Amino acid sequence: MSILGNRVERIEDPRLLTSGGVYTDDLDDERLTGAAYVTFVRSSIAHGRLMAVDVTAARAAPGVLAVVTADDLRGGDGGVAPIATFSPEWSAEMAQPVLADGVVRFVGEAVAAVVTERRSQGEDAAELVEVDIEPMAAVVDPRDAAADGELLFPAAGTNTVAEYGGQPQPDLFADCEVVVAQEFLNQRLAPAPLEVRACAAAMDDDRLVIWTPSQGAQGSKAVLTAALGLDPGAVRVITPDVGGGFGAKSGAEPEHVVLGWLARRLGRPVRWVETRSENLVTMPHGRAQVQQVTIGGRRDGTLLAYAIEVLQDAGAYPKLGGMLPALTCLMAPGVYDVPRLSARARAVVTNTTPISAYRGAGRPEATAAIERAVDMFAAEIGMDPAEVRRRNVVPPEAFPFQTKGGALYDSGAYAEALDLVLEAGGYAELRAEQAERRARGDVVQLGIGLSAYVEITGAAEGPNGLGENATVEVHADGTVTVLTGTSPHGQGHATAWAMLVSDQLGIGIDKITVLHGDTDLVPEGGGTVASRSLQQGGAAVHQATAELVDVARRRAAELLEANPDDLVVDTDRAAIAVAGTPASAVTFAELAASEPLSVATMFSAGGPTFPFGAHLAAVEVDTETGKVVLRRVITVDDAGTILNPLIADGQRHGGIAQGVAQALFEEVTYDADGNPQNSTFADYAFVSAAELPSFELVTMETPTPMNPLGAKGIGEAGTIGATPAVHNAVVDALAHLGIRHIDMPATPRRVWEALTAR
């Protein structure tokens, strides 16, 4: 019986639940003995000319070893280059300096680095650094940035980072009986991983070793070597345990470069870990789109046209925020076969924390827009929103389906997913309860929200395109080592990859060790981003194991004096045996004892995959206070073939929680001068278990032909489906009172204001 498809408990968990993880701040590597501590001095002004940084008093403070500014890092041999993480064409004008150089562009931008013997000394010394900034007008709203009134980068001549999509189509809605238009705000979010950013750096002879929590050591190394001007062979990056990433730890940041420079220059190990306030203010944020959406169709519920114009706030420096709206445009039509589509986007810089990837990265924004629009269209024509969806989804016989947005959907059964979630949720009964509450005029009203979604996963290209490498080696003692280019930060790769090996070899998963996140062990790898791991990294492990079986079969044929075609894998004994003659066999361990039994391979995917699903949310809204209580969440999340339902459900749980958080709680805001208003969890509404019901998960599996496992990504799906379902539910609770839309997050204040202003 195959181990695949079973709820196998994670082999990672005993260590994490007993001795605990070893995170970057926990490291006691002998190379870090006597490490100094780094504290960053950060700008308190959103936009201004950096006139002077006086470090005299700080350098004289107790325990201070060094204080460095951009002047120390600039030019000549050993100089540090700015970081350009979006597009080479903007590297000169809009690249981010490692320390602010001449201009500060957001509150929290690092201006200087203080190195001290003890961590506490750094906090005191940093207070002594005198930073003279001549304030300039802050550009906080992306609409203002788009007007180019105040330029963040005068040399670029514009605040626009990139534009996507073709020209507007003026006749898009010409034959529509009903047209609905609305501006949506997909608000800025803080990723808020439980482990904040950290780094340690040391010299190992003449090589620089950097430890940092990352979603891909190889990608981080590429950024570090480029910024430091070093040969790749001179740098080693190691990823310890990672306490959450969500996309925001997908690459090296300026602080990591500074630590690498300091370790080389001082000849002494250095360490850094940020505070929670630093994390909320300076770690790259997510989302931050203003969307103008128009949808049109016939009164029978048929959708004919959809248009979306996206204004993406990229923050102060164009990291991945510069390209995220491209994914929003790609996925704009969602699950619907809309005859006419216009999707256009523009990304601009503002004096705010830079935007990067955050769980879903451009795809949740697309789903939130079209699903909110479909609900508004349904309300306008007086039709049940479930019926509007059912009438317009791509039919199952149409796959593979080429969308008007340019995506080629691999496989799907969208109507089936919708029907499953409606049945599981008792949709008719919920609507009946809602009608009763409305008829009675209850203070607490019931809202029912739906979303049908599709997303793209495995689209991020690594060093070898849409693929990943893996090495599988059997040892003479019967254990196995797996090397993978993926880099887990909670996804359960050790268990999943061990299951893939065990299934083919018959070796227990407790004897299989998965290694990752060390550029000396695994020089190349695409990391763990874009929900690519199982469909590419796991497929690579599966392929390497199959190739190892072929090697073992050829060797066993010689030892057993048999035809290789007559040999089979005996998984009960972890051996190669002659078919029909089980006594004639040789174990994998015995084969490895004579000579190394190892295979390294590269798997190339046939293309990205498109997970899909449907979510149903029920909320209760107090019409006197605006308070929203989430009563139920029912989800169908189809990620193709499921390797381990236990792990998949865990990914769904986390995604749903973050999707709910965006709909109801979380938002990063700034005042008119660019001062962040959410620097602690006291003023950033980080979701907890207390605000969440038990999630009701419905199983559905539609395999993809893009990899031999039939697997699609699961890590971001819950986020993408949950947000619009909960958001729609809040508006639905108040629809009978004439309310058509409330921007996210639907906080009590926002709901109350909508009720009083109607």
Side-chain angles (χ1 to χ4, degrees):
M1 178 180 175
S2 174
I3 192 175
L4 305 185
N6 292 299
R7 300 180 70 86
V8 178
E9 292 187 358
R10 295 184 0 143
I11 59 178
E12 299 95 331
D13 289 347
R15 176 179 66 88
L16 295 172
L17 294 172
T18 53
S19 61
V22 178
Y23 302 95
T24 301
D25 198 36
D26 301 324
L27 291 169
D28 60 358
D29 191 287
E30 63 180 15
R31 287 166 291 191
L32 292 172
T33 301
Y37 294 88
V38 178
T39 303
F40 286 95
V41 179
R42 300 187 181 276
S43 173
S44 60
I45 301 294
H47 194 202
R49 293 181 181 87
L50 188 57
M51 308 303 290
V53 183
D54 187 345
V55 301
T56 306
R59 282 177 173 161
V64 172
L65 301 173
V67 184
V68 299
T69 67
D71 288 340
D72 301 297
L73 303 181
R74 188 188 302 111
D77 183 36
V80 176
I83 298 176
T85 55
F86 166 58
S87 170
E89 64 191 82
W90 296 104
S91 60
E93 294 90 351
M94 292 187 175
Q96 183 173 9
V98 173
L99 293 174
D101 193 356
V103 178
V104 294
R105 295 185 174 88
F106 70 99
V107 172
E109 183 170 8
V111 173
V114 178
V115 188
T116 55
E117 293 283 359
R118 299 197 306 272
R119 184 174 292 171
S120 60
Q121 293 169 329
E123 298 173 5
D124 294 334
E127 294 288 338
L128 299 176
V129 177
E130 296 183 13
V131 182
D132 183 9
I133 299 174
E134 181 183 294
M136 301 163 63
V139 184
V140 179
D141 192 314
R143 303 172 188 86
D144 295 333
D148 284 340
E150 178 77 18
L151 296 179
L152 273 67
F153 300 90
T158 180
N159 288 326
T160 297
V161 176
E163 295 185 84
Y164 305 94
Q167 295 299 314
Q169 302 176 39
D171 59 346
L172 200 68
F173 300 93
D175 62 345
C176 294
E177 297 172 354
V178 176
V179 178
V180 180
Q182 180 71 43
E183 181 181 276
F184 299 147
L185 174 64
N186 202 286
Q187 79 271 30
R188 175 184 288 255
L189 302 176
L194 291 185
E195 180 202 23
V196 296
R197 293 181 301 170
C199 185
M203 296 303 297
D204 188 0
D205 294 329
D206 59 346
R207 296 182 73 208
L208 174 63
V209 183
I210 291 184
W211 294 262
T212 180
S214 169
Q215 294 173 221
Q218 297 79 8
S220 294
K221 177 179 174 178
V223 174
L224 290 162
T225 53
L228 294 169
L230 298 176
D231 182 85
V235 178
R236 178 184 184 186
V237 175
I238 301 172
T239 298
D241 285 323
V242 180
F246 311 122
K249 291 181 182 173
S250 56
E253 294 289 325
E255 292 87 351
H256 305 137
V257 177
V258 172
L259 262 75
W261 187 90
L262 286 169
R264 297 181 70 235
R265 184 56 59 97
L266 300 178
R268 179 172 178 173
V270 289
R271 312 179 74 133
W272 166 71
V273 59
E274 68 183 351
T275 65
R276 176 57 63 186
S277 290
E278 280 183 297
N279 179 266
L280 287 169
V281 171
T282 67
M283 187 182 204
H285 292 157
R287 309 289 189 258
Q289 287 186 1
V290 179
Q291 305 168 331
Q292 185 62 48
V293 169
T294 308
I295 191 167
R298 294 195 290 262
R299 292 197 174 276
D300 66 358
T302 303
L303 298 177
L304 297 176
Y306 177 65
I308 180 171
E309 292 199 14
V310 175
L311 184 59
Q312 173 74 60
D313 183 349
Y317 297 99
K319 297 176 181 289
L320 289 178
M323 58 77 63
L324 291 180
L327 288 170
T328 305
C329 290
L330 178 71
M331 301 306 298
V335 298
Y336 306 107
D337 186 4
V338 183
R340 298 188 298 276
L341 173 74
S342 174
R344 303 169 67 243
R346 181 182 183 185
V348 296
V349 287
T350 62
N351 292 120
T352 60
T353 301
I355 295 292
S356 192
Y358 173 63
R359 203 165 194 166
R363 293 107 73 197
E365 296 89 324
T367 300
I370 185 98
E371 288 305 295
R372 187 81 274 281
V374 168
D375 256 34
M376 294 186 74
F377 178 81
E380 186 67 23
I381 65 173
M383 183 176 287
D384 189 293
E387 184 58 28
V388 173
R389 286 173 169 81
R390 186 181 289 107
R391 293 187 182 194
N392 291 281
V393 295
V394 177
E397 65 272 12
F399 292 91
F401 181 75
Q402 183 73 57
T403 76
K404 299 296 189 300
L408 181 63
Y409 294 172
D410 53 346
S411 61
Y414 303 155
E416 181 182 350
L418 179 62
D419 288 340
L420 278 174
V421 82
L422 293 175
E423 180 182 358
Y427 185 67
E429 291 80 4
L430 287 172
R431 285 296 181 197
E433 180 184 349
Q434 180 185 63
E436 291 172 2
R437 291 197 189 194
R438 289 180 176 179
R440 290 194 303 262
D442 288 2
V443 170
V444 177
Q445 288 291 322
L446 178 67
I448 306 153
L450 291 171
S451 74
Y453 74 91
V454 59
E455 66 146 329
I456 182 172
T457 62
E461 292 200 9
N464 296 287
L466 296 183
E468 190 52 86
N469 69 88
T471 298
V472 176
E473 181 175 3
V474 178
H475 306 292
D477 61 358
T479 62
V480 178
T481 298
V482 178
L483 302 179
T484 175
T486 63
S487 188
H489 44 283
Q491 290 85 349
H493 291 182
T495 303
W497 286 198
M499 289 174 64
L500 290 166
V501 173
S502 177
D503 181 63
Q504 296 188 68
L505 302 185
I507 295 174
I509 61 173
D510 59 320
K511 295 183 178 181
I512 301 171
T513 301
V514 178
L515 300 177
H516 69 278
D518 185 332
T519 57
D520 273 10
L521 288 176
V522 189
E524 290 189 352
T528 295
V529 296
S531 296
R532 66 185 294 272
S533 292
L534 179 58
Q535 59 187 294
Q536 293 173 9
V541 172
H542 178 269
Q543 178 173 295
T545 309
E547 293 174 4
L548 183 141
V549 168
D550 288 340
V551 172
R553 184 181 283 111
R554 290 194 296 271
R555 289 190 196 172
E558 297 178 6
L559 292 173
L560 300 174
E561 297 182 347
N563 188 323
D565 294 337
D566 295 332
L567 300 181
V568 296
V569 177
D570 183 346
T571 55
D572 290 336
R573 291 186 291 169
I576 298 290
V578 177
T581 312
S584 182
V586 57
T587 67
F588 290 106
E590 290 169 340
L591 292 172
S594 57
E595 60 179 301
L597 183 55
S598 176
V599 167
T601 194
M602 171 62 65
F603 169 77
S604 296
T609 63
F610 295 84
F612 64 93
H615 287 202
L616 188 157
V619 302
E620 292 184 326
V621 180
D622 189 318
T623 58
E624 293 181 347
T625 66
K627 182 179 180 181
V628 178
V629 175
L630 181 61
R631 181 169 136 181
R632 293 179 68 193
V633 176
I634 307 98
T635 81
V636 174
D637 300 295
D638 191 319
T641 303
I642 299 300
L643 177 71
N644 184 333
L646 183 70
I647 291 177
D649 286 354
Q651 288 293 298
R652 293 170 72 183
H653 286 166
I656 295 165
Q658 286 183 288
V660 170
Q662 178 173 10
L664 298 181
F665 306 112
E666 297 185 24
E667 182 178 29
V668 173
T669 59
Y670 293 85
D671 68 14
D673 296 321
N675 296 306
Q677 306 296 289
N678 319 92
S679 60
T680 71
F681 282 151
D683 43 38
Y684 185 76
F686 185 73
V687 70
S688 73
E691 290 80 42
L692 300 169
S694 295
F695 303 140
E696 302 171 52
L697 307 183
V698 180
T699 300
M700 181 174 173
E701 298 182 31
T702 306
T704 178
M706 295 301 175
N707 61 74
L709 302 177
K712 305 181 183 184
I714 189 61
E716 297 162 290
T719 308
I720 294 169
T723 300
V726 175
H727 189 197
N728 282 338
V730 174
V731 179
D732 179 67
L734 309 174
H736 67 296
L737 301 176
I739 292 174
R740 289 291 175 262
H741 181 68
I742 300 172
D743 270 328
M744 296 187 295
T747 60
R749 177 175 177 173
R750 275 212 172 106
V751 174
W752 182 82
E753 288 175 342
L755 285 164
T756 56
R758 71 188 188 277

